[in-house]
Amino acid sequence: MPPMADMLPCELTMTWRLESITDMVIVEAPSLRREREFLEAVRRSRRLHGRWVDPPRTSTQYRAYVRRLRGPKRYGHFICTEAGELAGVINVNDIVRGAFQSGSLGFYAFVPHAGRGYMREGLQRVLRLAFGKYKLHRVEANIQPDNVRSMRLVRGLGFRREGRSTRYLKLAGQWRDHERWALTIEDLDGP
């Protein structure tokens, strides 16, 4: 592959986009040992999360979240900085096997690490797991229409917009519309 400076934007393939550019993140499974740090990160990030996401906010909710990850229909990932601090969360939820082999992404960053590349690097790594170790064929990301940063993130990783789902998820007490973005294993090799 030619150096990036010699490439036109249309020549960037998913294979390149999923390569880990740096070693700036550590991906680890959520665990009870991170409970206090996680809950503090959620409190610190309340304004950032706003109506976009409703992460566990109490010890009981956090423990239930960790328990749910033990089932066969979801995988959770903490995205940590080089120094081991929690930068965000990426979950692969609602996994359907059989002919579908699909899962839905849920993700959010924590203050002060939002907007610093940790989630992009983390998503690259989790997508590798989704299409490799977890043997998925398709991954979806459902994003509220005015969540521009998240849409920019998935678009930059090669996801395509497939449509809009009206009143798709109830967040912050309201049914919210979402745009449906998807990536399949065939997209990794480009057109």
Side-chain angles (χ1 to χ4, degrees), residues 122-136:
L123 270 170
Q124 289 171 328
R125 291 181 184 208
V126 170
L127 287 169
R128 269 202 228 102
L129 289 169
F131 292 121
K133 181 178 180 181
Y134 308 155
K135 298 185 183 339
L136 296 180

Side-chain angles (χ1 to χ4, degrees), residues 31-91:
S31 65
L32 295 179
R33 74 178 180 81
R34 290 268 196 182
E35 178 180 342
R36 185 179 306 216
E37 182 183 0
F38 177 92
L39 294 174
E40 175 53 37
V42 168
R43 277 190 288 281
R44 194 175 55 239
S45 305
R46 189 171 292 144
R47 209 163 160 216
L48 171 67
H49 294 162
R51 64 185 182 89
W52 307 121
V53 66
D54 190 18
R57 297 187 194 293
T58 67
S59 180
T60 301
Q61 290 173 342
Y62 180 80
R63 289 169 184 263
Y65 162 68
V66 172
R67 265 193 313 277
R68 279 193 308 274
L69 295 174
R70 294 183 188 147
K73 296 193 180 262
R74 60 183 49 94
Y75 295 100
H77 310 85
F78 281 168
I79 306 305
C80 303
T81 68
E82 314 93 317
E85 297 173 13
L86 281 179
V89 175
I90 301 171
N91 296 314

Side-chain angles (χ1 to χ4, degrees), residues 78-152:
F78 281 168
I79 306 305
C80 303
T81 68
E82 314 93 317
E85 297 173 13
L86 281 179
V89 175
I90 301 171
N91 296 314
V92 183
N93 300 305
D94 307 319
I95 294 174
V96 178
R97 295 295 182 182
F100 201 30
Q101 298 298 331
S102 180
S104 296
L105 287 178
F107 57 89
Y108 47 95
F110 290 129
V111 169
H113 305 294
R116 295 187 176 174
Y118 293 106
M119 294 305 288
R120 178 179 175 83
E121 177 84 11
L123 270 170
Q124 289 171 328
R125 291 181 184 208
V126 170
L127 287 169
R128 269 202 228 102
L129 289 169
F131 292 121
K133 181 178 180 181
Y134 308 155
K135 298 185 183 339
L136 296 180
H137 174 259
R138 175 185 174 86
V139 176
E140 289 187 11
N142 293 286
I143 302 168
Q144 293 178 54
D146 45 351
N147 188 343
V148 176
R149 288 174 79 174
S150 290
M151 284 191 283
R152 190 178 318 130

